[in-house]
Each structure stands twice: as structure tokens, then as C-alpha cells.
Amino acid sequence: LECFKVGDNAIGRWGDSTAEGTGPSVALPPEIWQPFGSTARKKNLTVRYGTIEIGCELKDTMPAIANIKNGARIDLNPDCCAALGLTPPMMTQVEWKWA
């Protein structure tokens, strides 16, 4: 419900559900995933917060970096947040890398 308040319908860039209960997933700016072209969908990454590290899938896109006003470079879905021990809505720094 929190996501709907800001216009997020929980359907990712490639039609995958990003809603709670669909597994950890993230959104990244297009400048990061576009070099992978059609293979970007569901590309695996590792996200780390503190000492917790989890596997996630890329299921959605964010605005272009130049259009992001809050400094975010990754958007975590509810399952990703829960696995990292985070409670949305929040802004925090995480580390990530392609798996």
C-alpha cells in the first residue's frame, strides 16, 4: 500500500510482480542495467546491509540517474527489505554487486 501512494503498482519493467511475497528483488537506473539488453530481466545480484547479504533479482527500473532527486541508486522491494531487516518506507545505504 505504501508503494501505491507514490505511484508504484508493484509490476516491474518486464511485467514481473515485485509485491511482497514474490521474493527479493530490486530496481536499478537504466544506465546500470541497459548494457545487458534483453538479458537484464531477472539478472541476479547480491545486496548487503551491515553483515546481512542476500540474493535478489532485477525486476524493475528506476528513473534515469539525472532525474533521481533523492540520491537513491537502488530500490528494494518489500521482500528484499524484510530479508535485510529493514522496514519500509526508509532510505538507507546498501551495497550491491552483480552475482
Side-chain angles (χ1 to χ4, degrees):
L1 293 176
E2 192 66 35
C3 296
F4 281 116
K5 292 178 188 175
V6 294
D8 187 341
N9 65 358
I11 302 296
R13 164 74 171 83
W14 298 277
D16 302 295
S17 177
T18 61
E20 186 174 4
T22 61
S25 66
V26 302
L28 295 170
E31 296 92 330
I32 296 172
W33 62 260
Q34 279 179 337
F36 296 103
S38 63
T39 64
R41 179 179 183 255
K42 292 193 175 186
K43 189 159 179 62
N44 293 315
L45 4 87
T46 302
V47 178
R48 190 175 86 143
Y49 177 69
T51 60
I52 304 170
E53 191 171 278
I54 62 165
C56 296
E57 289 182 324
L58 175 65
K59 290 186 179 179
D60 204 359
T61 191
M62 294 173 64
I65 292 172
N67 297 327
I68 299 173
K69 306 298 183 214
N70 64 3
R73 296 295 181 266
I74 188 169
D75 186 7
L76 313 176
N77 84 331
D79 292 342
C80 186
C81 289
L84 293 170
L86 300 169
T87 304
M90 55 59 197
M91 279 282 289
T92 193
Q93 191 166 2
V94 299
E95 295 177 13
W96 72 271
K97 63 183 177 185
W98 296 117

